[in-house]
Amino acid sequence: MNAIKIGHGYDVHAFTRGNGFVLGGVTLDCDLAIIAHSDGDVLIHALCDALLGALGQGDIGRLYSDQDPGNENRDSREFLREIRQRVETAGYRLGNADLTIIAQTPKMAPHIDAMRDVLALDLDCSSQQINVKATTTEGLGYIGRKQGIAVAAVVLLERK
């Protein structure tokens, strides 16, 4: 068994007009919504993919299909907690997670500490082990045109 494992995740969702959306388990109040089968929490989806990747267990779509009616509007925090159990069952714990939100809007800075706290709670770790940062695309591409949002995630798992 490896002493450490590294995983990478990436997810993207399109925006539509709406009354806000959930990101990192935190509701952002804005005039946008996410188009998705579940709650569309793109940050948690990328984090789940990174955790599963480190374990060599595929991706979130394999476990929680968007074709399954049981996953419609499902809270992505449930996915994260279930995947944390997989990490623990495999004999690992989170060393750290580094998450990058790529979005032109809305402003993320006011929400980052709350996201870190929510993720730490669901991952049963310290918020010091979770880094969340945000960047824009300087107006370029679909993200720059405010048509969507993406998140890249990297995790380090340590053997217990």
Side-chain angles (χ1 to χ4, degrees), residues 29 36 44 48 76 78-80 87 90 108 116 150:
D29 184 25
I44 288 181
C48 287
S76 294
E78 293 176 16
F79 302 152
L80 183 58
V87 169
M108 299 296 163
R116 291 177 66 214

Side-chain angles (χ1 to χ4, degrees), residues 23-68:
L23 189 65
V26 175
T27 301
L28 280 62
D29 184 25
C30 62
D31 63 352
L32 299 168
I34 298 278
I35 299 171
H37 184 69
S38 68
D39 67 0
D41 191 327
V42 64
L43 190 144
I44 288 181
H45 295 178
L47 178 55
C48 287
D49 274 352
L51 292 165
L52 290 167
L55 294 175
Q57 294 185 10
D59 61 41
I60 191 171
R62 202 157 124 196
L63 293 179
Y64 307 104
S65 170
D66 62 3
Q67 303 302 306
D68 181 347

Side-chain angles (χ1 to χ4, degrees), residues 78-155:
E78 293 176 16
F79 302 152
L80 183 58
R81 289 188 294 262
E82 289 174 13
I83 291 169
R84 184 195 85 219
Q85 288 295 333
R86 288 173 170 262
V87 169
E88 291 173 0
T89 298
Y92 288 88
R93 66 176 172 246
L94 182 72
N96 72 298
D98 188 28
L99 310 162
T100 304
I101 303 164
I102 308 154
Q104 201 67 37
T105 191
K107 294 289 184 193
M108 299 296 163
H111 309 287
I112 286 177
D113 287 341
M115 290 178 198
R116 291 177 66 214
D117 290 343
V118 167
L119 297 173
L121 179 67
D122 288 344
L123 289 170
D124 192 26
C125 68
S126 165
S127 63
Q128 299 295 318
Q129 293 169 265
I130 312 284
N131 186 54
V132 178
K133 56 193 180 290
T135 190
T136 69
T137 60
E138 302 296 331
L140 299 174
Y142 70 91
I143 290 175
R145 290 187 300 272
K146 303 176 185 177
Q147 296 173 325
I149 184 171
V151 174
V154 178
V155 299

